[in-house]
Each structure stands twice: as C-alpha cells, then as structure tokens.
Amino acid sequence: MQWLKEIFKVKLKEFKENKLAIVEIFNSISGEGISAGELVTFVRVAGCNLRCSYCDSTYSYQEFEAEHSRLKPAEILTELSKFASQKIICTGGEPLEENKAKRYLALYLAAQGFEVRIESNGSFPVYNTEEFNAFGGVELRTKLAYTLDVKSPSSAMAEQNIYRENFQKLGINDELKFVVANENDFEHALKVLNKEAEILAVNEVTINFSPVFGQLEAKELVRLLKSKEAFFVAKQLKPRLSLQLHKMIWDAEQKGV
Ligand code: SF4
C-alpha cells in the first residue's frame, strides 16, 4: 500500500497550496442537531452536487462565484483565529465532495486541534483510513463528528444517498438528519431506518427528524414520531426532534447568523 500513501502525501501537499472557495466564516450558535445551541464557528464551503427542492442555502450552490472568498488553508486558520471557539461546523454547499480539495478541509482543521462537525448531504463517502493517515492518523476521528443528511422523496434527491457504507462508520457523536416535508417523507425515513436499524443502534447514532421550515409544523412531526414510538423502542434507535433554532431567532433568510 506504499503507493497509496504516496498518492495521499501528494494530495496533502497539493491541498495546502489550494485556494478553497469559501462562502462565509462566522461564529454563532449551532442551529440544530446534537450540537444545537452550542457556540461554534461555521466554515461554509462553496459548491454542492445536489439540488434539493427545499434548499435554504442556494447561495452556496456554485463553487465559482465572484463573491466567494478564495482562501488557502493557512488563510482559513487566520480567519478562525479571530474567534475563540475551538468548535467548528464545516458546512456547505457540500464539504465532502470527492476529487475536490475542500474535502480535506475538515480533516486539516481537526489535525490543527479543532473539534470539527461535518454537515454533509450524505451523497459522498465519509473519510477512509488512508485519508485519516494522510492527515496524521486514525486518531483524528475523535476530533471529527458527522451530521449526514438522509434525503427524502420531497427533496427530489433521495436516490443520491449512500446508506450502509457510511452508516457503519458512524459512532455515538454522529447523527443522521431526516428533513421531513410530509407524511410520505416520514414513511420513507422509517423504511430506511427499518433496513439499517441494527448498525445504527449498535453504533448509537442519533437520528434527527427536522420539519421543512414553512411546510410541516413541528407539532405534526411530533405526532408522527409519537405514533411510531414502539418502532423506535423495538429497534433501539435514538430519534429526536430537531428544530432550526436560527430560523426562530433570526429571519429565516438571514445569512451569517
Ligand atoms: S445538499 Fe444542502 S446545500 Fe446542497 S442542495 Fe441540498 S440542501 Fe442545498
């Protein structure tokens, strides 16, 4: 496997020389999921391979927009040094897009000592051992956490998801996010969970259900969750309602908050 190590060394060297397209870097509270309410710094990378019907960050779709900053990894560190938090949420766009330098930003930041949560749309593989080794070793996994979307039918992107291949690499600090617009989405989520329950239960992965803002009332999602309580208990899954705090605190369209 020496040749593989060499390839990743080259990638790492190249990575540090790349200018990454960054939409925004700002500090705020985490808006949702396990980390909701925590003070964190967001790094939003540009470019997404999907086009979800309900996307609320369309401004990050394109990688090559004039208004995005072009920053080398060391320059991103300089920006991050303006904030005290050691907790980063690396979001997008899509931060794990393969064959792009931005895929390695979260690993690079973890190797610098930050705690990094990666918010991914779930359509790319999570990091493999070779990638960890290229940035310092598999122990970096303890500095990283994943929030992986599982796309619903109403997103029109449900076919893009990677399921078991990713789920088997998740752990207790990781989470799935089902964004639900209607009962059909909820039923789809249950089908996925029914199939993958064992690995998710063993790995103690948190399962978030989040209503599409403006399309499904939170209380309706709670009703649906309650109606399947026996299923979640039987499958030993950890479901929870996740609301987007930032949309309650600020205007739903406001950026950088
Ligand atoms: S994956 Fe996220 S950023 Fe990409 S289109 Fe879907 S909601 Fe928008």
Side-chain angles (χ1 to χ4, degrees):
M1 298 294 269
Q2 188 56 34
W3 61 273
L4 197 53
K5 283 187 184 151
E6 292 305 318
I7 285 175
F8 279 104
K9 267 188 204 158
V10 173
K11 271 192 180 172
L12 178 56
K13 200 172 154 208
E14 286 174 353
F15 169 78
K16 288 179 175 171
E17 295 309 313
N18 267 281
K19 289 199 167 194
L20 308 184
I22 303 294
V23 179
E24 51 189 354
I25 297 175
F26 62 98
N27 66 341
S28 187
I29 53 155
S30 168
E32 52 192 317
I34 309 177
S35 60
E38 288 182 7
L39 281 165
V40 296
T41 305
F42 286 88
V43 180
R44 186 184 300 283
V45 299
C48 184
N49 58 313
L50 301 188
R51 292 292 179 266
C52 302
S53 60
Y54 49 68
C55 182
D56 58 4
S57 45
T58 54
Y59 53 89
S60 65
Y61 272 171
Q62 303 295 343
E63 201 167 340
F64 302 102
E65 294 280 1
E67 61 261 36
H68 299 333
S69 304
R70 302 254 144 207
L71 301 176
K72 285 187 175 181
E75 293 172 315
I76 293 172
L77 287 182
T78 302
E79 290 302 309
L80 291 174
S81 71
K82 295 174 183 171
F83 307 107
S85 179
Q86 293 299 296
K87 292 186 177 183
I88 308 282
I89 292 186
C90 191
T91 189
E94 171 51 38
L96 284 183
E97 211 168 344
E98 286 183 305
N99 303 315
K100 307 252 183 184
K102 67 176 173 178
R103 176 171 170 86
Y104 300 110
L105 178 60
L107 263 179
Y108 171 78
L109 294 177
Q112 305 301 314
F114 290 102
E115 279 179 47
V116 187
R117 177 167 293 281
I118 304 167
E119 289 186 340
S120 166
N121 64 29
S123 69
F124 290 100
V126 298
Y127 297 125
N128 59 41
T129 305
E130 287 76 21
E131 288 173 312
F132 277 114
N133 286 339
F135 282 80
V138 288
E139 51 280 8
L140 282 179
R141 180 66 176 90
T142 62
K143 305 289 280 180
L144 284 172
Y146 295 105
T147 301
L148 300 184
D149 286 358
V150 182
K151 295 297 180 188
S152 59
S154 71
S155 73
M157 296 290 133
E159 303 304 315
Q160 307 298 321
N161 259 112
I162 296 174
Y163 297 115
R164 192 164 305 175
E165 189 189 329
N166 273 347
F167 296 173
Q168 64 195 0
K169 293 182 180 170
L170 301 183
I172 194 166
N173 294 321
D174 301 320
E175 56 187 352
L176 298 184
K177 183 170 83 174
F178 291 89
V179 178
V180 178
N182 50 45
E183 202 157 340
N184 187 44
D185 284 354
F186 187 71
E187 291 300 326
H188 176 264
L190 294 181
K191 274 187 202 150
V192 172
L193 291 173
N194 190 40
K195 205 168 166 200
E196 309 293 345
E198 199 175 330
I199 190 79
L200 294 170
V202 167
N203 291 350
E204 299 186 67
V205 178
T206 295
I207 317 289
N208 295 293
F209 287 87
S210 184
V212 177
F213 192 80
Q215 289 190 41
L216 183 71
E217 285 198 43
K219 62 185 174 191
E220 175 58 10
L221 187 48
V222 173
R223 185 190 71 75
L224 291 168
L225 286 167
K226 283 168 64 177
S227 74
K228 295 296 176 186
E229 189 174 20
F231 166 82
F232 294 120
V233 171
K235 298 289 181 185
Q236 298 183 291
L237 294 172
K238 298 196 295 179
R240 64 203 293 280
L241 177 72
S242 175
L243 301 178
Q244 294 177 295
L245 290 182
H246 48 289
K247 290 187 181 172
M248 296 179 207
I249 301 171
W250 297 282
D251 184 276
E253 303 295 321
Q254 200 164 331
K255 288 167 62 180
V257 291

